[in-house]
Amino acid sequence: MSTASGTSNPEYVVARVRARKASLFGDDDYRKLVRMGPAEIARQMEESTYEDEINALGARYSGVDLVEYALNRDLAGQFDDVLGWTEGRLYDLIARYLRKFDAWNVKTVIRGLYSNVDRETVEADLIRAGEFSDRQVDRLLNAGSIEGVVEVLDGTLYGGPLADALEEYEDAGVLVPLENAVDRAYYEQLLANLVVDEATEMYREFLTAEIDFRNARNGLRLARSGADLDPAAYYIDGGRLFSASELSALSESRDELLARIRDSVYGDQLDNALTVVEETESLIGFERALETALQSYADRLGVVHPLSVTPVVSYILAKEREVDNIRAIARGREAGLSPERIEAELVVL
Amino acid sequence: MAEDVKPTRKNLMEIEDRIELSERGHDTLEQKRDGLIMEFMDILDQAKDVRSDLNEDYDHAQETINMARAVEGDVAVRGAAAALKEHPEITSQSKNIMGVVVPQIESSRVRKRLDERGYGLLGSSSRIDETAEAYEELIETIVLAAEVETAMRKMLEEIEKTKRRVNALEFKLLPDLRKNQEYIEQKLEEQEREEIFRLKKIKAKKEEEASEAAEAEREADETAEEPERVSADD
């Protein structure tokens, strides 16, 4: 198993991920998929790199569920491979981003326990693509109670924050403090102690943009809902766009918040999306624009500094995009959406 | 059946009372029916609007959840839904519209603020928010539709019942009573005529008997006077 100790091996990892990236679905594949039904999509996936997952899950699931679970399992396998190949500082940089799947798994287990969902269903919903080993994930699944989960996570990134949030959870009886603690722990470790050099500068820019965009969308969601929340519940440190007090003040006035984003370094990229938000109540278009902006960062990551962390991160983001796109197409087709609508609403071709 | 009724004056009076009562009841029920129909038409308009809102809200909610499941994934949507603790509550009271008891359904804790939905803000998106909002709106419309459509159904049942009563009075009970009334009146008239005829007969008979008695008396008197005259001549 790889660790953060030792020397980085970007040459080897980059060569491996380049080969993997070359086999990702392209625009033409998506254009074909948007005209297929869920069963045809599953069959098409069976003829691609998803063959093993489709065959392994085919007996248990069918239709769109089969597609979604196969995508999740493949994503987990691919990222597990990437983490397995990397060593040294490169491992640390990649693991920072992939820990979002650990956060996802912790939240899924907690939600399952909270709503008394059986173990098998919770297990099916996990994406084992993060840093946690299978043994750790199994211990989480066997924890039996939310307090047990917190105990199992003691000593990990999430243990401390969850233990702090446990009292608030017990008082309020809602999952918000626990979920926020997990998400905050993930976001805050993204940039913590990050040693930046020329090769990792763009990666840091990408992570900073992700935090800024998360803060911006949460501020706008809050402004839209009218809820009066403690900034600690939604603000993430590490961005360059807002401080906690600024975001708290701005989230009371949507117009001021939009003006602030427009005047920021992201203003040009998000100009059209901001106009849409000003004209309509919905934030969905804005979030889509944020995702597109992050993707353009990811695309740029792939072509600069070819022997560094950036091509690896670019592959990870491209793989995530592929999974999102195929799932969106399959679910969209299942819901009876037209190919044009799916292309316009869901997939960035 | 008119023949079943005893043609007595007492029955006639009873039937006349029942006719009067039934006519009053018929008028009242007709007014009630018309009033109910007017109320029903108002509720019908409201129900049509609510039904159209319900269809619209359902389509919108389905579309948003389909989009959320497509973009965020089914697992994320289910996870966000599972985080909800405070489920909506429905309370039902009743109100009276022209004698019809209709439900008054009230829902509470349906619409929730962002911080009341149970899922964390940091790990979710506005697609989840908008899906939750769409379903909150749909639940409110369902509750309203349940209230209006139940009221409409109950009004309709009451209108039907009132209509059946009006028709029963108009086409069955009142005609039967009137027939009975007519029958008794005819019978009574007939009895009266028979009585008069009988009385006349009796009177005629009595007169005849009286004249016969008078004749017999007169003849007896004449017979008695004849021997007296013969002895005198002797």
Side-chain angles (χ1 to χ4, degrees):
Chain A
M1 188 187 158
S2 296
T3 60
S5 60
T7 321
S8 278
N9 55 345
E11 299 84 354
Y12 173 69
V13 180
V14 168
R16 298 293 304 257
V17 296
R18 284 240 163 91
R20 293 263 170 114
K21 197 174 181 185
S23 64
L24 293 177
F25 280 39
D27 289 356
D28 286 343
D29 296 311
Y30 293 137
R31 287 201 183 90
K32 271 190 233 162
L33 289 178
V34 290
R35 278 159 183 82
M36 294 177 181
E40 286 172 297
I41 293 172
R43 205 160 46 243
Q44 181 75 17
M45 285 169 68
E46 200 183 350
E47 289 166 12
S48 70
T49 51
Y50 294 95
E51 184 185 355
D52 292 345
E53 286 75 23
I54 292 284
N55 288 337
L57 297 167
R60 281 174 67 195
Y61 304 103
S62 63
V64 190
D65 288 339
L66 173 61
V67 171
E68 184 159 353
Y69 285 120
L71 288 169
N72 287 345
R73 186 184 271 216
D74 181 71
L75 185 84
Q78 299 271 338
F79 291 172
D80 211 31
D81 288 348
V82 173
L83 268 185
W85 298 328
T86 54
E87 283 173 4
R89 184 161 165 252
L90 185 61
Y91 176 91
D92 173 56
L93 292 171
I94 300 302
R96 276 171 197 263
Y97 188 75
L98 294 184
R99 282 182 194 127
K100 76 175 186 182
F101 295 104
D102 292 333
W104 167 269
N105 290 342
V106 171
K107 284 191 294 180
T108 305
V109 171
I110 289 176
R111 281 174 179 174
L113 289 167
Y114 182 79
S115 48
N116 293 321
V117 177
D118 63 87
R119 189 187 187 280
E120 284 68 35
T121 311
V122 175
E123 190 174 5
D125 289 349
L126 299 182
I127 306 173
R128 297 174 187 242
E131 203 182 15
F132 285 172
S133 64
D134 282 350
R135 199 170 145 266
Q136 267 175 308
V137 175
D138 289 341
R139 282 184 66 208
L140 275 179
L141 282 166
N142 294 330
S145 66
I146 290 175
E147 290 75 13
V149 171
V150 178
E151 225 168 89
V152 169
L153 291 171
D154 188 31
T156 68
L157 180 68
Y158 309 100
L162 273 177
D164 294 342
L166 198 57
E167 195 181 334
E168 201 186 329
Y169 157 73
E170 281 166 352
D171 288 344
V174 290
L175 289 180
V176 179
L178 297 177
E179 293 203 358
N180 281 345
V182 173
D183 287 320
R184 181 177 303 286
Y186 164 71
Y187 279 110
E188 288 182 353
Q189 61 84 39
L190 278 178
L191 292 170
N193 307 318
L194 183 66
V195 179
V196 180
D197 56 21
E198 202 186 336
T200 51
E201 176 57 38
M202 192 167 257
Y203 182 44
R204 187 183 66 167
E205 222 176 89
F206 166 77
L207 295 177
T208 310
E210 176 143 356
I211 291 173
D212 280 335
F213 289 174
R214 177 53 70 178
N215 282 336
R217 71 181 4 182
N218 285 347
L220 281 169
R221 284 165 76 192
L222 222 60
R224 184 171 175 273
S225 126
D228 183 23
L229 284 183
D230 179 3
Y234 60 90
Y235 177 76
I236 302 161
D237 273 328
R240 58 182 163 175
L241 201 52
F242 315 102
S243 69
S245 57
E246 274 173 343
L247 187 60
S248 179
L250 286 170
S251 63
E252 284 169 18
S253 163
R254 198 179 73 134
D255 294 342
E256 282 177 34
L257 182 55
L258 290 173
R260 176 65 180 273
I261 299 168
R262 199 184 282 282
D263 294 339
S264 73
V265 288
Y266 308 111
D268 291 342
Q269 276 173 297
L270 303 177
D271 189 39
N272 290 339
L274 289 167
T275 309
V276 173
V277 177
E278 277 163 354
E279 286 167 3
T280 63
E281 275 288 297
S282 175
L283 292 178
I284 289 171
F286 180 69
E287 288 195 353
R288 209 183 305 137
L290 293 181
E291 279 154 24
T292 310
L294 277 177
Q295 278 171 12
S296 73
Y297 269 105
D299 291 341
R300 273 161 54 208
L301 283 173
V303 289
V304 292
H305 303 292
L307 289 181
S308 70
V309 65
T310 54
V312 186
V313 174
S314 174
Y315 163 70
I316 288 172
L317 296 170
K319 180 68 193 175
E320 275 190 282
R321 195 192 333 177
E322 178 185 89
V323 166
D324 288 347
N325 283 346
I326 298 174
R327 183 186 59 217
I329 291 169
R331 290 267 173 218
R333 294 300 290 161
E334 185 201 31
L337 300 179
S338 68
E340 293 72 29
R341 179 86 198 277
I342 296 171
E343 282 181 20
E345 288 274 341
L346 309 171
V347 186
V348 185
L349 288 175
Chain B
M1 292 290 283
E3 285 76 13
D4 296 340
V5 190
K6 277 189 181 169
T8 62
R9 206 154 286 280
K10 187 172 170 272
N11 280 351
L12 181 64
M13 281 163 70
E14 269 178 17
I15 285 173
E16 280 171 350
D17 286 347
R18 283 183 66 193
I19 288 175
E20 199 189 330
L21 185 68
S22 302
E23 279 174 345
R24 273 213 313 271
H26 179 259
D27 291 347
T28 313
L29 284 172
E30 259 188 343
Q31 283 171 8
K32 183 183 174 185
R33 183 195 62 193
D34 295 345
L36 282 171
I37 289 173
M38 281 170 69
E39 286 284 342
F40 175 76
M41 295 313 274
D42 287 346
I43 291 181
L44 183 67
D45 289 341
Q46 208 185 339
K48 275 183 190 164
D49 292 344
V50 173
R51 179 51 72 163
S52 143
D53 289 349
L54 185 64
N55 289 337
E56 221 169 85
D57 289 350
Y58 178 77
D59 290 343
H60 175 59
Q62 274 303 109
E63 193 182 326
T64 55
I65 203 165
N66 286 337
M67 288 299 214
R69 288 172 79 196
V71 178
E72 304 286 322
D74 187 45
V75 180
V77 176
R78 277 194 285 119
L84 184 69
K85 190 198 177 201
E86 298 255 315
H87 292 280
E89 271 185 10
I90 308 285
T91 49
S92 174
Q93 291 173 331
S94 54
K95 64 178 176 184
N96 200 316
I97 303 177
M98 299 191 68
V100 187
V101 180
V102 295
Q104 203 168 15
I105 306 171
E106 276 179 25
S107 55
S108 58
R109 294 189 298 190
V110 174
R111 293 234 181 220
K112 296 194 186 303
R113 291 201 324 261
L114 199 50
D115 53 327
E116 293 170 334
R117 293 198 182 119
Y119 56 79
L121 216 63
L122 296 176
S124 56
S125 74
S126 61
R127 279 195 189 271
I128 300 278
D129 299 345
E130 291 187 22
T131 305
E133 274 168 33
Y135 271 88
E136 285 165 4
E137 207 173 316
L138 177 63
I139 288 173
E140 281 189 340
T141 315
I142 287 172
V143 170
L144 185 62
E147 182 182 311
V148 173
E149 291 191 7
T150 310
M152 193 176 74
R153 195 169 47 78
K154 290 209 163 203
M155 295 288 281
L156 207 58
E157 280 168 8
E158 190 64 24
I159 288 170
E160 276 299 311
K161 207 157 78 180
T162 314
K163 226 162 90 179
R164 274 201 304 276
R165 283 180 178 164
V166 169
N167 287 346
L169 282 172
E170 195 173 329
F171 299 110
K172 177 74 183 149
L173 192 68
L174 276 168
D176 283 355
L177 286 172
R178 286 194 183 114
K179 216 188 233 175
N180 285 348
Q181 183 191 26
E182 202 181 336
Y183 168 75
I184 294 174
E185 278 172 355
Q186 276 176 2
K187 280 283 174 191
L188 285 177
E189 275 174 22
E190 207 176 300
Q191 280 174 10
E192 210 171 317
R193 275 197 304 274
E194 277 174 8
E195 186 65 20
I196 291 167
F197 181 73
R198 196 171 60 83
L199 287 173
K200 274 184 181 171
K201 276 277 187 194
I202 291 167
K203 191 182 170 189
K205 202 175 178 184
K206 276 188 177 171
E207 278 173 2
E208 196 182 330
E209 279 172 3
S211 69
E212 276 175 8
E215 185 69 23
E217 200 177 326
R218 195 170 46 82
E219 277 177 10
D221 287 348
E222 277 176 8
T223 317
E225 276 174 13
E226 202 65 37
E228 276 175 17
R229 206 181 299 143
V230 170
S231 60
D233 288 344
D234 288 339

